[in-house]
Amino acid sequence: PRCFIRNTIPVQARMTSILSYFIRNAIPVQPRMTSILSYSRSNFAPGRRVYYEHSSAGRLAKRLYEILSSLGECIYLDATDVLTGASADVLIGEPGNFQHLCTNNRIGKKILWCSRSFDRGDLFELCDVALGVGNRTSLSRFPEAHRGKVHLTNYSVGVAPNLPSPASRKNEFIYVATEATELKGFREVMRVWKTMSAKLHVVGYMNDPEMQALFRESNSGQMEYHGYIPSDTAAFRSLLTSCRYVYLPTHLEGQVGTLIEALYHGLVALTTLESGLDERVLEHAFLAAPADTETQAGCVRTMLAMGDEEYAARQQASLAALRTYHTWDVFDRAIKTHL
């Protein structure tokens, strides 16, 4: 019939038009990014558990791997591994084998990972950008000639637990680190606590014989040593939430993971700008220079005298700042900006 013939061409035209529309407006397929991440298998290993995976280095390595893997294939190496003849769009690497990886492989963007400040002009010249975690004090520790390449951000330790009321916490302090060392301010803590009667809990390995002797000499019963406690355990969470204060006068850091954990558990901190935490979080902490034991001792006495209301106000202000500036979203955005 005439109507059938008349309507056949428009139908075909409409089909062609629809197909053309989809071709014109199709979302282009983005090429998958290939990457190499060189960090430490003792802190993180894809697909298996390692003892230090809940350390700050372990958390950071895992998050970097997750970011890169979400964008394409990621080769994970230890910072001592050798690799030649590979191709990658991006390399994020620790200083250990950074030069080897850059010179023996075809790398697009070379990103130097800085766990803390160091002076290696050859590596800064080789990299396109240097990334790490820390604050303005951390940045000031890098050589001025290379500081323009360094970009520091913040990271997190996960979701804060349900916190007990301030009134239920004991008026006690805790020193918490992976290992009690001079760099982590343990010598200063011992000097101060030798003059105190309040309870101090000490958490972390104590492998240095000098630190062991210092602990024995300074402890007249007011200190309790717990050894190393993994941060993913109920024992760790229970001890942190039983105390009011964390005391960690560290000398040099990227950002102290154990301090972030303590703050997320509702403790109020006595620490240093060298801890590397965001200054907007440290506004609500008690601060002293790493070696200034006189000021540190004064802060301890002030903190012990705080009432429930004052303690709760400082705790809540610290937590609010922490949940704003020390999140994985903050970290993710900063890293992806430089890929």
Side-chain angles (χ1 to χ4, degrees):
R2 184 179 300 171
C3 65
F4 177 79
I5 296 171
R6 187 173 61 246
N7 291 323
T8 299
I9 295 174
V11 168
Q12 291 172 340
R14 284 198 299 273
M15 293 295 292
T16 302
S17 176
I18 292 170
L19 182 60
S20 299
Y21 172 83
F22 280 111
I23 292 172
R24 286 196 311 272
N25 294 281
I27 299 173
V29 176
Q30 297 295 331
R32 300 285 282 170
M33 188 181 79
T34 58
S35 60
I36 298 171
L37 173 61
S38 175
Y39 212 103
S40 167
R41 286 202 184 92
S42 63
N43 295 115
F44 170 71
R48 64 183 179 89
R49 297 201 65 179
V50 294
Y51 193 67
Y52 290 114
E53 65 186 16
H54 291 283
S55 67
S56 55
R59 295 175 192 271
L60 288 166
K62 181 181 179 183
R63 195 68 175 197
L64 288 169
Y65 182 76
E66 289 173 347
I67 291 171
L68 295 173
S69 296
S70 71
L71 301 172
E73 181 185 1
C74 178
I75 299 172
Y76 186 78
L77 303 173
D78 188 82
T80 61
D81 285 346
V82 172
L83 179 69
T84 59
S87 297
D89 298 308
V90 174
L91 163 67
I92 300 180
E94 285 269 2
N97 59 354
F98 188 77
Q99 187 173 44
H100 161 79
L101 293 174
C102 289
T103 56
N104 290 281
N105 300 278
R106 294 179 297 278
I107 306 296
K109 190 163 190 178
K110 305 176 183 72
I111 301 176
L112 179 62
W113 183 259
C114 305
S115 298
R116 59 179 56 152
S117 62
F118 60 92
D119 189 359
R120 283 285 304 273
D122 57 331
L123 298 186
F124 283 107
E125 291 295 333
L126 190 58
C127 74
D128 296 302
V129 65
L131 301 180
V133 292
N135 59 22
R136 285 177 293 183
T137 300
S138 312
L139 182 62
S140 71
R141 295 295 188 98
F142 286 88
E144 187 174 0
H146 309 299
R147 214 172 285 163
K149 279 191 173 182
V150 180
H151 299 269
L152 303 180
T153 185
N154 303 323
Y155 74 106
S156 183
V157 294
V159 179
N162 294 323
L163 300 176
S165 66
S168 68
R169 292 177 182 260
K170 298 174 185 176
N171 205 27
E172 297 176 350
F173 278 74
I174 185 169
Y175 171 94
V176 56
T178 301
E179 183 175 357
T181 65
E182 190 158 358
L183 194 64
K184 295 283 187 180
F186 190 66
R187 184 179 297 279
E188 286 76 23
V189 171
M190 291 299 96
R191 285 175 181 167
V192 168
W193 225 263
K194 195 173 184 177
T195 67
M196 299 292 167
S197 59
K199 184 69 170 285
L200 172 70
H201 300 271
V202 176
V203 175
Y205 292 113
M206 201 182 297
N207 297 323
D208 186 341
E210 186 178 352
M211 296 298 106
Q212 295 172 9
L214 187 61
F215 178 76
R216 289 192 299 269
E217 293 165 7
S218 306
N219 187 14
S220 57
Q222 79 280 35
M223 291 183 251
E224 183 176 353
Y225 178 55
H226 298 265
Y228 174 75
I229 307 176
S231 63
D232 62 332
T233 62
F236 183 84
R237 292 188 291 272
S238 177
L239 183 57
L240 283 185
T241 53
S242 72
C243 300
R244 282 195 171 196
Y245 308 110
V246 56
Y247 180 15
L248 194 58
T250 185
H251 289 245
L252 177 65
E253 297 287 345
Q255 282 183 340
V256 193
T258 53
L259 181 59
I260 298 172
E261 285 176 312
L263 295 182
Y264 259 114
H265 282 78
L267 283 81
V268 170
L270 167 53
T271 188
T272 64
L273 285 170
E274 286 78 5
S275 66
L277 270 66
D278 193 292
E279 290 91 345
R280 292 163 293 189
V281 173
L282 293 178
E283 284 177 7
H284 311 291
F286 290 81
L287 296 175
D292 186 355
T293 53
E294 184 178 348
T295 298
Q296 291 173 30
C299 288
V300 169
R301 295 187 183 96
T302 299
M303 294 163 81
L304 288 169
M306 287 174 63
D308 289 348
E309 187 174 333
E310 184 182 358
Y311 169 81
R314 191 178 284 264
Q315 177 202 59
Q316 291 305 309
S318 174
L319 283 168
L322 198 71
R323 291 164 179 162
T324 302
Y325 304 112
H326 275 272
T327 71
W328 284 121
D329 284 343
V330 168
F331 181 82
D332 293 354
R333 287 195 300 271
I335 299 302
K336 290 178 180 178
T337 297
H338 295 283
L339 293 181

